[in-house]
Structure formats: structure tokens, C-alpha cells
Amino acid sequence: MVIIVFGLPGSGKSYFAGRLAKMISAGYLSSDRIRKEMYKKRTYSDAEKEAVYKEMLTKMKKAVHENRHVVLDGTFHKSETRKVFIEAMKNKSGVEFIEVETGENIARERLKKSRTYSEADFEIYKIIRDHFDPLTEPHLLLQSTNNNIENMLQQATFYLKWKHDNTPGK
């Protein structure tokens, strides 16, 4: 199973995705971690983003080939990027999408804090927000507050179990 957790910077997606991966015993691939491994100085340019997602795709394919579940964590704000991952999984188990949202004020406060793998600030948030292609296919949408991680994880595990149990051919 491949699960893509996506949303704007500061939404809480990385906090959630890491805990979800642990909860379901899946691998965890973070675009922020990959970017930090690939680039000493990070610019968040389009070319850099493309290279990061290409590397994430390679790592995802390896996990799938090894029959491991994996949670991918990134903004995935462009529909073209999401399509590449969907296409890669077309003849396999497919991709489940979980979008994490939060209020702009919460995101602004979160982005003021230092994070281990991301330098995204509120200016990056605004750029990505203004260029975000909404996902129109059915997916789980979670609202992140500063104290609802357990509820988010519960909703996600119920959703994933329901999706798995209702897969055609089962």
C-alpha cells in the first residue's frame, strides 16, 4: 500500500505522516528529508522540487518491489506530480491520498518554529498555496489542530481499512 499525505507547509502533514507510518508499520519517505540529503543549500526551485520527487518516486518503487507499505510525505501541490505517482502504481495496489489542512493562523505559528528537515516559512506557504492544484478524486481530508493527532490517526486507519476492505476483487 502506498499512502501519499499531502498539504501546505505548516499543515501538520509531516507530524501526522510519520506517526501514521509507525502505526501501520510502513516505511516513511519525506520530501523534506530527501531534499536535505540531496542538497546542501536548498532553494525550493522547480528543478530542485522535480529532482526531489523523482528520488521519492524511485524510493517508493523500491519499497513496492520489496512488498513494503510506504507513507509519502510532501506538499504534492501539483496535479502533474501526483499523476506520476498514480501512473507508477496503476497496475499495482494503487495510491491512497490523505490531505491535511489547518487554519492559516495555525500554519503561520507552526512555520515560525525551527524544524529539523524543513526551512519552509510563511512566504513559501503563500507561494505553494497560490499554486496548489486541488485533488478532485475522492480522498480523505483531515483537519489538523494543535491537539487532535489521535483523532486524525483514528480517522486515517478507519479510512484505509475501509478502502482496503472495499477494493474490487476482494
Side-chain angles (χ1 to χ4, degrees), residues 50-63:
E50 186 177 327
V52 167
Y53 281 101
K54 185 176 180 182
E55 179 65 16
M56 184 181 265
L57 181 66
T58 299
K59 290 176 183 253
M60 178 201 77
K61 287 178 179 179
K62 182 176 189 277

Side-chain angles (χ1 to χ4, degrees), residues 5 11 17 21-22 44 46 50 54-55 70 74 76 89 96 102 117 124 134 137-138 154 159:
V5 177
S11 64
K22 186 178 269 189
Y44 291 83
D46 288 342
E50 186 177 327
K54 185 176 180 182
E55 179 65 16
V70 65
F76 284 90
M89 293 300 296
E96 299 300 335
T102 195
Y117 296 105
I124 298 288
E137 291 83 9
Q154 184 178 49
Y159 175 79

Side-chain angles (χ1 to χ4, degrees), residues 1-4 60 64 69-72 89 93-97:
M1 175 176 10
V2 173
I3 303 160
I4 295 180
M60 178 201 77
V64 169
H69 300 308
V70 65
V71 175
L72 282 59
M89 293 300 296
S93 61
V95 177
E96 299 300 335
F97 285 93

